[in-house]
Amino acid sequence: MNKKVLIMVAVEAEQTAVLRGLRGNNSFEVKLAGVGPVAATINTAKALIGNEYSYIISAGIAGGFEDRAEIGSIVVASEMIAGDLGAETPEGFSSLNELGFGSTIIKADTSLSNRYMETLSASAIVPVHLGPIITMSTVTGTAATASRLASRIPGVIAEGMEGFGVASAAQAYGLSALEIRTISNCVGPRDKSAWRIGDALLSLEQAFTIIPEVLL
Ligand SMILES: O=C(O)c1cccc(C(=O)CC[C@H]2O[C@@H](n3cnc4c(=O)[nH]cnc43)[C@H](O)[C@@H]2O)c1
């Protein structure tokens, strides 16, 4: 029997959107990770105990970096990066990597993300972007932080709060991880009135209609 694919989302609204996209395909399980990297790591690790999965996907909505990922678009991680794990120094931010205490970067399975990108681009449903996605414990709320992150992390396209946590648990179990998100807001000044959560959830549903074709 083929193993199932585990999809971890933060909240129920994202779970509903992903399940709609999967249209009852029972080769997938969509579980709640909770919000933030710690909850995501714990809940993914719990979901893995006693179960065997072929792949793990971190899915949900995200903030898009200006001119890199527009509202409603789909973003696919080439790398899942812990964006704020490190130390502030007089010379600027030093990541855990640079400090020599471990890695803050987990590479996505490139053959899978490339296959997903090709299938999605061919179906031309919604604009799609491939690049590093950062995981933050604190949602960025100023233009200054957004601009610092964009220059510190080359090519970063989007910011979420769970991807690195889900990927860390997957890595601990020797499994490949992917991160697929849709953009609800622009990373920058906090303005909840500009959030387009409904649009992002509709795109999330569409993002998962082609997943069975790519993974099964
Ligand atoms: O109250 C706020 O200002 C606020 C700002 C951004 C996000 C929140 C949330 O509670 C949602 C967190 C939830 O959604 C994902 N997400 C969506 N946009 C972003 C973002 O710009 N930066 C980081 N995470 C974002 C995240 O993965 C969480 O699951 C509240």
Side-chain angles (χ1 to χ4, degrees):
M1 198 186 79
N2 286 336
K3 291 179 198 161
K4 290 191 176 192
V5 175
L6 174 63
I7 302 173
M8 296 301 292
V9 296
V11 296
E12 279 177 17
E14 293 167 335
Q15 186 180 40
T16 305
V18 170
L19 285 170
R20 276 209 194 106
L22 293 171
R23 297 182 177 132
N25 189 315
N26 61 11
S27 297
F28 296 83
E29 283 183 12
V30 188
K31 296 194 174 175
L32 293 178
V35 174
V38 175
T41 312
I42 293 172
N43 288 316
T44 307
K46 279 167 87 176
L48 289 171
I49 296 170
N51 291 305
E52 287 198 35
Y53 294 101
S54 50
Y55 307 107
I56 303 190
I57 305 177
S58 170
I61 61 170
F65 281 86
E66 201 177 350
D67 299 330
R68 299 183 185 178
E70 64 276 44
I71 288 180
S73 65
I74 299 171
V75 288
V76 181
S78 54
E79 299 171 299
M80 289 144 289
I81 301 179
D84 51 6
L85 191 56
E88 208 175 14
T89 77
E91 291 75 41
F93 180 87
S94 285
S95 71
L96 223 57
N97 277 6
E98 290 153 349
L99 296 166
F101 291 131
S103 183
T104 50
I105 302 177
I106 298 178
K107 293 213 175 289
D109 182 319
T110 35
S111 66
L112 281 186
S113 34
N114 287 341
R115 192 144 31 108
Y116 180 75
M117 290 296 295
E118 278 161 25
T119 314
L120 200 59
S121 306
S123 68
I125 325 176
V126 202
V128 55
H129 308 280
L130 175 71
I133 299 182
I134 52 172
T135 299
M136 302 289 283
S137 295
T138 303
V139 173
T140 297
T142 66
T145 305
S147 138
R148 262 200 307 274
L149 287 167
S151 31
R152 177 159 68 75
I153 301 155
V156 64
I157 53 172
E159 166 185 297
M161 298 179 80
E162 295 83 25
F164 186 79
V166 172
S168 298
Q171 195 176 51
Y173 281 78
L175 292 168
S176 297
L178 274 181
E179 184 172 6
I180 299 171
R181 292 183 177 269
T182 54
I183 303 302
S184 54
N185 59 285
C186 191
V187 177
R190 185 169 186 261
D191 174 12
K192 292 285 295 248
S193 69
W195 278 50
R196 297 289 174 264
I197 293 180
D199 293 348
L201 291 173
L202 275 178
S203 296
L204 192 60
E205 178 180 335
Q206 296 197 305
F208 278 84
T209 55
I210 62 149
I211 272 286
E213 192 181 325
V214 175
L215 294 185
L216 301 181

